[in-house]
Amino acid sequence: MATFPQLRLRRLRATEAIRSMVSETRLSPSDLIYPLFVCHGRDVRTPIEPMPGCYQLSLDLLLSEITEAADLGIRSVLLFGIPASKDDVGSEAYDTSGIIQEALRAIKQAVPQVCLITDVCLCEYTDHGHCGIVQGDRVDNDATLELLARTAVSHAEAGADVVAPSAMMDGQVAAIRTALDNSGHTETPIMAYAAKYASAFYGPFRVAAESSPQSGDRLGYQMDPANWRMALREVEQDIREGADIVMVKPALAYLDVITRVRERFDHPVAAYNVSGEYSMLKAAAANGWLDEPRATLEVLTAIKRAGADLILTYHAKDAARWLKGEQ
Ligand code: PBG
């Protein structure tokens, strides 16, 4: 059959119209989930130093940020809370008047069309900075489950449309599903941080969320970056426990994992383009070393091409603008 010179693959690259006709992957603002940090107070907009363009926002400013994102075509946000105070059991995580619960009620009223996803974890709320209850030098898996379940139910009660457990405790999805069902929230989906790696790329987030472990690390519960088969077992476990959407996190250094999860399972797959991935690109762009719009859209397209249906990204607003051809 045809080979060069009859066969010329460049024919399909000749014009923008042809290229767009044969484009295999299309990124749209509705693929993007925009993570946001909410703090107590009024008129607070605290820049997050390693994440240029990201802020800890008080509720009043958060509402305008979400409205702006919605106007750009972003359909959902992921909320992280900065509590007023921390303790060893992360009390504000499941307090009905906690920062996330207040935020959910206010956003539901002001911008009801936006899908509100909440991160369900204890690390922002504990004084030791671990994702669960600490006993000695270990995070106690089973003792943590009840608190995660309580947190998820309080989010659903306050208006969360989706809850996203990220603590990497075994059994957390089942515990949350049961608690949601028992409290009448049978329709609330769970987006499980299923394959979440112990990654250096969360560094900037921990500045943003003030959630660094005060001692030790997360290697006892988050995954070893060397493993992909284990990722499939994590995803399988979460699906068995009732996850509706499964997530791979981080995204860029784990594109192979995204592809394998996509091939093995039929659930929607989300990928988290994490803080460190954002910081790297922003830093290079700030130095003039990368063309920021092109590099950003290339990265997000690659994550989608790898198999992600949904992408959690701090670039969401910029990307939505650039997708429309705006500056
Ligand atoms: C909470 C949580 C983390 C991230 C999302 N949820 C931090 C961590 O596990 O240390 C990281 C997000 C990012 O880096 O953008 N457990």
Side-chain angles (χ1 to χ4, degrees):
M1 269 306 290
T3 182
F4 179 81
Q6 290 77 26
L7 175 69
R8 290 179 184 271
L9 296 178
R10 288 183 53 193
R11 283 182 197 121
L12 295 180
R13 290 170 210 152
T15 67
E16 172 54 30
I18 294 178
R19 288 192 293 272
S20 109
M21 219 160 52
V22 299
S23 168
E24 298 173 31
T25 308
R26 263 174 239 272
L27 194 64
S28 138
S30 60
D31 302 328
L32 308 177
I33 300 171
Y34 185 28
L36 289 164
F37 302 94
V38 56
C39 63
H40 289 277
R42 275 196 69 78
D43 206 23
V44 182
R45 187 182 186 83
T46 310
I48 298 162
E49 207 242 344
M51 299 171 69
C54 295
Y55 304 85
Q56 292 180 354
L57 297 171
S58 55
L59 203 36
D60 47 334
L61 299 185
L62 182 76
L63 291 177
S64 33
E65 184 69 14
I66 294 177
T67 307
E68 203 184 311
D71 290 342
L72 287 165
I74 295 158
R75 317 290 295 267
S76 55
V77 296
L78 172 68
L79 299 174
F80 293 99
I82 319 292
S85 62
K86 305 187 187 224
D87 59 26
D88 62 344
V89 291
S91 304
E92 199 180 315
Y94 37 89
D95 185 338
T96 26
S97 49
I99 184 65
I100 286 292
Q101 291 80 356
E102 297 283 3
L104 288 165
R105 285 187 289 265
I107 306 163
K108 261 290 151 233
Q109 249 194 352
V111 236
Q113 75 277 23
V114 173
C115 172
L116 303 181
I117 309 175
T118 56
D119 186 85
V120 175
C121 194
L122 299 182
C123 63
E124 295 117 85
Y125 304 91
T126 52
D127 48 16
H128 46 69
H130 279 289
C131 301
I133 298 298
V134 173
Q135 309 276 12
D137 60 355
R138 302 244 329 142
V139 173
D140 185 332
N141 190 88
D142 299 11
T144 302
L145 296 181
E146 199 248 324
L147 298 183
L148 292 173
R150 230 200 278 178
T151 303
V153 170
S154 82
H155 289 177
E157 238 132 57
D161 296 296
V162 178
V163 293
S166 70
M168 285 300 277
M169 297 297 126
D170 286 314
Q172 64 182 12
V173 173
I176 289 172
R177 184 71 271 155
T178 304
L180 287 172
D181 289 352
N182 290 342
S183 57
H185 301 288
T186 53
E187 303 298 315
T188 307
I190 298 175
M191 178 165 80
Y193 285 72
K196 176 173 176 181
Y197 287 87
S199 172
F201 290 95
Y202 307 152
F205 172 94
R206 293 183 188 166
V207 174
E210 302 171 4
S211 65
S212 289
Q214 296 306 299
S215 66
D217 51 45
R218 303 209 204 291
L219 293 166
Y221 42 106
Q222 298 180 348
M223 283 186 56
D224 181 343
N227 295 345
W228 65 265
R229 291 189 297 268
M230 187 62 84
L232 296 179
R233 294 184 69 197
E234 284 284 354
V235 171
E236 185 179 27
Q237 164 170 282
D238 282 6
I239 286 174
R240 284 211 181 122
E241 290 182 22
D244 300 282
I245 301 172
V246 291
M247 192 199 298
V248 174
K249 174 184 174 193
L252 281 186
Y254 300 87
L255 294 176
D256 58 323
V257 179
I258 297 172
T259 302
R260 284 168 160 141
V261 170
R262 166 74 299 145
E263 282 170 353
R264 177 86 60 98
F265 303 98
D266 290 327
H267 284 55
V269 176
Y272 202 140
N273 175 219
V274 300
S275 57
E277 300 171 353
Y278 176 84
S279 301
M280 279 196 302
L281 206 152
K282 281 284 176 184
N287 276 292
W289 295 337
L290 279 177
D291 174 336
E292 189 182 353
R294 284 191 59 199
T296 303
L297 294 180
E298 182 174 332
V299 157
L300 297 175
T301 302
I303 296 170
K304 192 164 179 195
R305 189 199 63 229
D309 303 293
L310 300 166
I311 305 170
L312 300 105
T313 181
Y314 305 96
H315 296 290
K317 266 182 16 181
D318 283 339
R321 267 192 216 106
W322 295 328
L323 283 170
K324 285 198 213 164
E326 290 170 19
Q327 283 313 294

